[in-house]
C-alpha cells in the first residue's frame, strides 16, 4: 500500500513554481481562453518544473488547476518517466492536451509496488472525483444479511455500512430488493425473528408474522432455545450454500410429525420444504456449481458504456446491477473496464473469481492488486466455452439491453430539453435545470428544496434541502422563505464557482409559484448582481389549480400557458412534481424528528440508560417534569446531583 498507510512518512512533494513567469499568478485569467488552440506553455512548464522533484519510484501523481482543484489522478511504475510524457504536448490527444494546459502544479505519493499504486489511485479517484478520470459515479455500499450474536434469540436482519455489531454477515447483495427477497424466503423456511430487541422484549402475545407462519414467536416462548439454535444452524448453512441436508431433514421431520398425527406441525414443515424447493429450482444447476464469483460484462456503444455485474455467493444468485461510468466518448473499453474494476472493489472484498467478457487494461497488475486487497488469490477469467461462458452471455445481453435503454432515455431527454427551449423562448438549450419548492404546515418545520435535471435526467447527487432558519419570518410567508433559500443558494454559487467554469450554475431556474415568488427570487438575484446570468421562470397551478393549465411567469412578460399535450408541458410538470416530492419529504422528516424529540434529550448527562430508567419510573417525560426532587433521587441510576440537574432543567426557567 501507499507508504503513509504503512506508518512510514510519505514521499509527498508539491510544486507550484510561483516564481516562474510562464506560470502566471494562479488567477482565473491565467487559464487559456481556448484550450484547444492555446499553445499549452503554462501547463507544460508547470509539469516540467514539477519533474525536478519527481521520484524514480512507483506511486501516484495528482495534477491541479489554478483553483487548486484536482484535474487528474494517475498511477505509474516510475513516476518521473510517466509524468515526463505530458511535457511533449504535440504527441497527446485533444483531451489530454486540454488537461495539460489547465495544470498549474503536481503532487506525488510513492508506494512500495505498482499494485499498491493502482489501489491508491482508485481510492483517490473515488474520493476526489477528478474531471479527467474515468469515474464510477454510482458507488453505494452493498447490503448484507446479518445473523446477530450476543442475544438468547439472535435476530436476522438486513445490514448496510460498517460492520460494527457482532454477528455473521452474508453477502454482498446487489440491491435492497435482493436482500428483502432473500429475507422473505428465509422467514418462510427458518422462522427466525426479524424484529428489534426492544420489540421482542415488550411483546405479550405473538405478532402477525407468527400467524402467517413467518416467525416462531420466541418473544412469548413458543419455541425452546435448543430448537431455535437448530434453526440458526440451518439458516447459516443455507446462506453458505449447504442446503441439501436441510431439505432431507425437513422431509424426515415432516414424515415423523404426520406419523404421530401432529398434522399442524407437519403442515408447517411442508410449507418450509416447499419454500426451500422453490429457491433451489430457481438457482439452476449452473448457478449451484459457481460458488463465489462476480460475472461482469461491458457493453460499449455511441461513446457510452454499461457494465453489468451479477453477484454469485455460496452458489446463489445475489442479484445484479448496471453501472454507467463517466468517461470521454473516445475512451477505450479496456481502459473503462480496468478503471471500473479498481474503483468498484476499492471498498468491498472481491471474490475468488471475476468472470469478464473483455480484457481490462493492465490485467495482470489488476489481478495482483485485487489479490493484495482481498488477502487471497483473485482470478480474472475470460471464459471461451462451458458453463461460465453461457452465464457470461446472459450478463452480456443484460448489459446491451441496459445500455440501449440508457441511450434511448438520453436521446429523449435531449429532445425534451430542445422542446423546452422552444416552448419557453430560451436563448440556449438548458443543460442544468434547477427547480425550487417550499414545504411547511402553517409555517412550521419549513423546508426549501432544490432538484436538478439535465441531459442525463434527474441528478440526485445535486439535490439540496434548506431548513428555513430565519426566526423573524412570519409563519407561512412563502415569499420570505424563497428569499432565504435563494440568498443561500446564490451565495454558495458565488463562493464555489465564481467564474461559472465548473458547471455548477443553472441555465434555467424554475420556481414553484406565481408572480410573487418570482419577484422575490429576481430581487435576490439583482442584489447579488446576477440578474441577467440565469433564466428564471415561475410556474403556478393556473385557473382552479387545474393540472395541464399551468401558468408560466417570465420577467417583464404577461403569464402564458402551453397547449395541453405539449411535450414540454409534461416535462415541466414532471420537474415540478419531483421538486414537490423532495420538499415534502424534507418537511416530513423534520416534523417527525421534532415530534419524536424528548425533553430529556436536552439535559446534559442523560443518556439512553438514564432516560429509559426515568421513563419506566414516571411513565412519560411529563411525569419526569412534574416529579419532586425526592422522587427523582429515588430512581435507580440517578444520583443526587443528577436529580438536582433534572429538577432545575424543568423548574428553574
Amino acid at each position: 500500500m501507499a507508504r503513509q498507510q504503512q506508518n512510514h512518512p510519505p514521499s509527498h512533494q508539491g510544486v507550484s513554481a510561483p516564481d516562474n513567469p510562464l506560470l502566471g499568478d494562479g488567477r482565473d485569467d491565467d487559464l487559456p481562453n481556448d484550450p484547444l488552440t492555446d499553445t499549452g506553455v503554462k501547463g507544460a512548464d508547470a509539469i516540467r518544473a514539477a519533474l525536478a522533484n519527481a521520484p524514480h519510484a512507483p506511486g501516484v501523481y495528482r495534477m491541479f488547476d489554478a483553483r487548486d482543484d484536482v484535474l487528474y489522478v494517475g498511477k505509474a511504475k516510475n513516476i518521473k518517466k510517466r509524468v515526463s510524457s505530458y511535457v511533449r504536448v504535440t504527441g497527446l490527444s485533444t483531451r489530454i492536451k486540454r488537461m495539460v494546459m489547465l495544470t498549474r502544479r503536481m503532487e506525488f505519493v510513492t508506494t512500495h509496488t505498482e499494485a499498491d499504486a493502482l489501489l491508491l489511485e482508485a481510492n483517490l479517484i473515488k474520493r476526489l472525483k477528478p474531471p479527467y478520470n474515468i469515474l464510477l459515479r454510482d458507488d453505494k455500499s452493498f447490503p448484507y444479511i446479518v445473523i446477530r450474536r450476543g442475544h438468547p434469540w439472535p435476530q436476522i436482519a438486513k445490514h448496510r455500512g460498517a460492520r460494527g455489531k457482532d454477528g455473521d454477515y452474508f453477502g454482498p447483495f446487489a440491491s435492497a430488493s435482493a436482500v428483502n427477497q432473500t429475507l422473505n424466503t428465509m422467514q418462510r423456511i427458518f422462522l427466525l425473528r426479524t424484529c428489534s430487541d426492544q420489540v421482542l422484549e415488550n411483546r405479550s402475545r405473538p405478532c402477525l408474522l407468527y400467524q402467517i407462519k413467518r416467525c416462531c414467536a420466541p418473544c412469548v416462548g413458543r419455541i425452546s432455545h435448543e430448537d431455535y439454535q437448530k434453526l440458526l444452524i440451518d439458516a447459516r448453512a443455507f446462506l453458505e450454500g449447504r442446503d441439501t441436508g436441510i431439505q432431507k431433514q425437513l422431509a424426515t421431520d415432516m414424515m415423523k410429525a404426520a406419523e404421530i398425527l401432529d398434522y399442524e406441525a407437519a403442515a408447517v414443515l411442508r410449507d418450509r420444504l416447499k419454500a426451500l424447493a422453490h429457491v433451489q429450482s430457481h438457482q439452476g444447476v449452473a448457478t449451484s456449481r459457481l460458488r463465489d464469483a462476480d460475472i461482469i460484462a461491458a457493453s460499449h456503444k455511441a461513446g457510452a458504456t454499461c457494465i453489468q455485474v451479477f453477484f454469485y455467493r455460496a452458489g446463489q444468485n445475489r442479484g445484479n446491477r448496471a453501472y454507467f461510468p463517466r468517461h470521454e466518448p473516445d475512451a477505450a473499453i479496456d481502459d473503462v473496464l480496468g478503471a471500473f474494476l479498481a474503483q468498484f472493489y476499492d471498498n468491498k472484498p472481491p471474490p475468488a473469481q471475476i468472470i469478464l467478457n473483455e480484457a481490462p487494461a493492465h490485467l495482470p497488475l489488476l489481478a495482483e492488486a485485487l489479490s493484495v486487497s482481498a488477502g487471497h488469490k483473485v482470478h480474472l477469467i475470460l471464459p471461451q466455452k462451458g458453463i461460465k461462458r453461457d452465464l457470461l452471455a446472459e450478463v452480456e445481453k443484460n448489459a446491451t439491453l441496459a445500455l440501449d435503454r440508457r441511450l434511448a432515455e438520453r436521446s429523449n431527454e435531449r429532445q425534451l430539453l430542445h422542446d423546452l427551449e422552444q416552448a419557453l423562448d430560451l436563448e440556449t438549450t438548458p443543460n442544468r435545470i434547477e427547480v425550487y419548492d417550499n414545504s411547511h404546515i402553517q409555517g412550521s418545520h419549513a423546508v426549501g428544496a432544490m432538484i436538478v435535471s439535465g441531459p442525463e435526467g434527474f441528478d440526485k447527487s445535486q439535490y439540496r434541502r434548506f431548513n428555513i432558519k430565519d426566526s423573524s419570518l412570519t409563519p407561512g410567508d412563502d415569499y420570505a422563505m424563497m428569499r432565504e433559500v435563494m440568498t443561500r443558494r446564490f451565495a454558495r454559487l458565488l463562493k464555489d464557482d465564481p467564474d461559472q467554469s465548473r458547471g455548477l450554475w443553472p441555465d434555467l431556474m424554475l420556481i414553484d409559484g406565481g408572480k410573487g415568488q418570482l419577484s422575490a427570487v429576481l430581487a435576490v438575484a439583482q442584489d447579488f448582481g446576477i440578474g441577467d446570468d440565469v433564466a428564471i421562470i415561475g410556474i403556478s397551478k393556473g385557473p382552479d389549480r387545474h393540472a395541464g393549465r399551468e401558468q408560466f411567469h417570465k420577467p417583464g412578460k404577461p403569464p402564458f400557458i402551453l397547449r395541453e399535450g405539449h411535450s414540454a408541458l409534461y416535462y415541466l410538470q414532471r420537474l415540478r412534481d419531483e421538486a414537490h416530492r423532495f420538499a415534502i419529504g424534507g418537511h416530513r422528516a423534520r416534523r417527525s424528528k421534532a415530534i419524536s424529540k424528548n425533553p430529556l434529550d436536552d439535559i446534559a448527562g442523560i443518556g439512553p440508560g438514564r432516560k429509559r430508567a426515568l421513563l419506566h419510573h414516571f411513565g412519560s417525560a411529563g411525569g419526569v417534569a412534574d416529579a419532586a426532587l425526592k422522587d427523582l433521587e429515588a430512581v435507580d441510576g440517578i444520583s443526587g446531583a443528577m436529580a438536582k440537574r433534572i429538577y432545575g432543567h424543568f423548574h428553574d426557567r
Side-chain angles (χ1 to χ4, degrees):
M1 300 301 292
R3 288 185 180 172
Q4 70 267 33
Q5 297 174 343
Q6 297 290 334
N7 297 321
H8 296 290
S11 174
H12 187 87
Q13 302 145 354
V15 177
S16 56
D19 298 328
N20 191 332
L22 293 176
L23 297 183
D25 58 6
R27 298 176 303 182
D28 295 333
D29 55 5
D30 289 324
L31 295 175
N33 293 325
D34 184 357
L36 297 181
T37 58
D38 191 276
T39 59
V41 173
K42 297 175 185 176
D45 278 13
I47 296 173
R48 193 175 289 111
L51 272 172
N53 293 314
H56 284 285
V60 171
Y61 58 91
R62 284 177 284 178
M63 310 173 87
F64 295 82
D65 63 12
R67 290 185 299 269
D68 217 33
D69 292 333
V70 179
L71 290 169
Y72 182 77
V73 175
K75 60 116 181 96
K77 186 176 183 179
N78 185 309
I79 293 177
K80 196 175 190 74
K81 288 183 179 180
R82 181 70 184 91
V83 172
S84 64
S85 66
Y86 292 109
V87 177
R88 299 183 294 273
V89 178
T90 54
L92 303 176
S93 66
T94 300
R95 170 176 164 271
I96 301 302
K97 282 182 182 178
R98 184 185 294 112
M99 181 182 73
V100 169
M101 293 169 188
L102 295 174
T103 300
R104 291 297 176 270
R105 70 179 186 90
M106 297 188 69
E107 288 183 358
F108 311 116
V109 178
T110 60
T111 59
H112 294 296
T113 65
E114 189 180 5
D116 291 339
L118 188 148
L119 295 173
L120 179 58
E121 176 199 37
N123 180 273
L124 290 173
I125 290 172
K126 286 178 61 178
R127 182 159 54 88
L128 301 174
K129 296 179 173 54
Y132 284 89
N133 280 99
I134 297 170
L135 182 64
L136 173 58
R137 291 181 291 186
D138 182 11
D139 190 38
K140 298 177 182 177
S141 62
F142 289 99
Y144 284 74
I145 285 178
V146 59
I147 298 179
R148 304 199 188 282
R149 297 175 180 169
H151 194 282
W153 310 103
Q155 172 200 29
I156 184 170
K158 177 171 60 178
H159 177 84
R160 191 193 292 269
R163 302 183 184 184
K165 296 185 178 180
D166 188 23
D168 299 319
Y169 292 83
F170 303 92
F173 289 80
S175 62
S177 61
V179 171
N180 293 336
Q181 183 178 358
T182 302
L183 279 175
N184 182 56
T185 299
M186 295 198 67
Q187 283 181 293
R188 294 165 58 195
I189 299 173
F190 303 108
L191 311 179
L192 298 178
R193 76 169 178 103
T194 56
C195 60
S196 66
D197 293 348
Q198 184 178 5
V199 171
L200 177 80
E201 293 166 2
N202 289 283
R203 289 211 66 87
S204 58
R205 59 181 181 178
C207 66
L208 181 62
L209 289 176
Y210 175 76
Q211 305 297 333
I212 62 174
K213 299 180 177 60
R214 295 291 188 274
C215 181
C216 58
C219 53
V220 291
R222 297 297 174 90
I223 186 173
S224 67
H225 283 281
E226 182 181 353
D227 289 340
Y228 194 83
Q229 288 300 318
K230 290 179 181 178
L231 293 178
L232 283 172
I233 293 172
D234 288 345
R236 289 190 180 97
F238 173 80
L239 289 170
E240 292 169 357
R242 299 181 289 107
D243 52 9
T244 305
I246 300 172
Q247 189 173 21
K248 292 179 180 178
Q249 186 61 48
L250 286 174
T252 301
D253 292 344
M254 182 182 66
M255 296 302 296
K256 288 181 179 179
E259 288 174 0
I260 62 175
L261 307 182
D262 189 354
Y263 297 119
E264 184 175 351
V268 173
L269 291 166
R270 178 203 61 201
D271 293 341
R272 293 174 60 191
L273 191 59
K274 282 184 177 180
L276 182 59
H278 177 75
V279 172
Q280 291 174 334
S281 66
H282 278 69
Q283 292 299 332
V285 177
T287 301
S288 63
R289 293 175 59 182
L290 196 66
R291 298 300 298 171
D292 291 345
D294 288 341
I295 303 181
I296 301 176
S299 179
H300 188 79
K301 186 187 300 183
T305 303
C306 172
I307 298 179
Q308 187 79 228
V309 184
F310 275 63
F311 299 83
Y312 289 89
R313 297 294 185 274
Q316 299 173 6
N317 186 343
R318 297 283 172 83
N320 64 287
R321 187 185 292 186
Y323 295 88
F324 301 90
R326 186 195 73 188
H327 60 80
E328 293 293 318
D330 58 350
I333 190 170
D334 60 334
D335 290 331
V336 176
L337 186 56
F340 171 84
L341 291 172
Q343 294 175 46
F344 183 73
Y345 291 109
D346 174 65
N347 64 343
K348 59 187 70 68
Q353 295 184 26
I354 300 176
I355 301 170
L356 305 166
N357 71 326
E358 297 278 352
H362 313 294
L363 190 152
L365 177 63
L366 187 58
E368 179 187 351
L370 293 178
S371 299
V372 170
S373 174
H376 59 76
K377 186 68 175 177
V378 175
H379 300 274
L380 302 184
I381 304 171
L382 286 84
Q384 303 302 314
K385 59 182 180 179
I387 292 175
K388 293 176 182 177
R389 179 61 229 180
D390 295 339
L391 290 170
L392 185 59
E394 187 66 25
V395 180
E396 282 182 306
K397 184 168 71 173
N398 278 271
T400 301
L401 292 173
L403 182 58
D404 288 342
R405 287 194 300 269
R406 178 81 166 199
L407 292 174
E409 291 170 0
R410 184 182 295 177
S411 176
N412 291 339
E413 289 288 340
R414 288 202 177 102
Q415 183 60 49
L416 286 170
L417 291 172
H418 178 71
D419 294 344
L420 188 64
E421 174 195 359
Q422 301 297 319
L424 299 182
D425 192 23
L426 303 175
E427 293 183 2
T428 60
T429 302
N431 283 315
R432 180 184 172 102
I433 302 173
E434 294 182 356
V435 190
Y436 294 84
D437 189 17
N438 294 328
S439 182
H440 60 91
I441 294 180
Q442 296 180 344
S444 65
H445 313 304
V447 172
M450 175 190 83
I451 65 129
V452 179
S453 186
E456 302 289 335
F458 292 120
D459 186 356
K460 296 190 176 182
S461 66
Q462 295 291 310
Y463 284 19
R464 297 292 182 269
R465 288 193 178 109
F466 304 83
N467 289 332
I468 303 302
K469 301 177 179 178
D470 191 348
S471 58
S472 65
L473 296 182
T474 302
D477 188 345
D478 282 335
Y479 304 153
M481 284 189 281
M482 190 60 72
R483 280 195 296 269
E484 179 179 336
V485 169
M486 301 313 301
T487 297
R488 290 160 62 182
R489 177 59 182 152
F490 286 135
R492 172 62 67 178
L493 281 172
L494 290 173
K495 178 183 178 182
D496 292 347
D497 193 9
D499 58 357
Q500 304 186 25
S501 62
R502 301 177 62 185
L504 301 179
W505 284 74
D507 302 303
L508 172 64
M509 299 178 75
L510 289 174
I511 312 300
D512 186 43
K515 185 177 180 180
Q517 283 87 348
L518 179 63
S519 298
V521 175
L522 291 173
V524 176
Q526 202 65 38
D527 290 342
F528 279 91
I530 54 178
D532 298 328
D533 294 344
V534 181
I536 304 175
I537 296 177
I539 174 171
S540 60
K541 291 287 177 49
D544 302 322
R545 302 179 67 83
H546 187 277
R549 300 181 63 187
E550 285 82 356
Q551 289 188 334
F552 299 92
H553 307 264
K554 293 186 69 174
K557 294 185 179 181
F560 63 94
I561 62 174
L562 299 178
R563 63 173 174 80
E564 287 195 49
H566 198 295
S567 60
L569 177 60
Y570 287 129
Y571 182 55
L572 289 165
Q573 289 173 341
R574 184 155 59 97
L575 293 176
R576 183 200 57 200
D577 292 345
E578 173 68 1
H580 193 53
R581 178 200 66 79
F582 189 59
I584 289 177
H587 165 70
R588 286 175 176 168
R590 192 177 183 190
R591 187 180 63 193
S592 297
K593 185 177 180 181
I595 291 173
S596 61
K597 184 176 177 61
N598 193 299
L600 299 177
D601 296 332
D602 296 329
I603 305 175
I606 298 294
R610 285 174 173 163
K611 179 180 173 183
R612 189 181 305 112
L614 288 166
L615 293 176
H616 283 174
H617 188 90
F618 295 104
S620 67
V624 178
D626 295 336
L629 181 60
K630 186 181 297 184
D631 295 330
L632 291 170
E633 292 174 346
V635 179
D636 290 339
I638 303 298
S639 64
M642 180 56 67
K644 290 179 180 179
R645 183 183 300 174
I646 297 170
Y647 186 84
H649 177 79
F650 291 109
H651 295 276
D652 289 350
R653 297 182 179 181

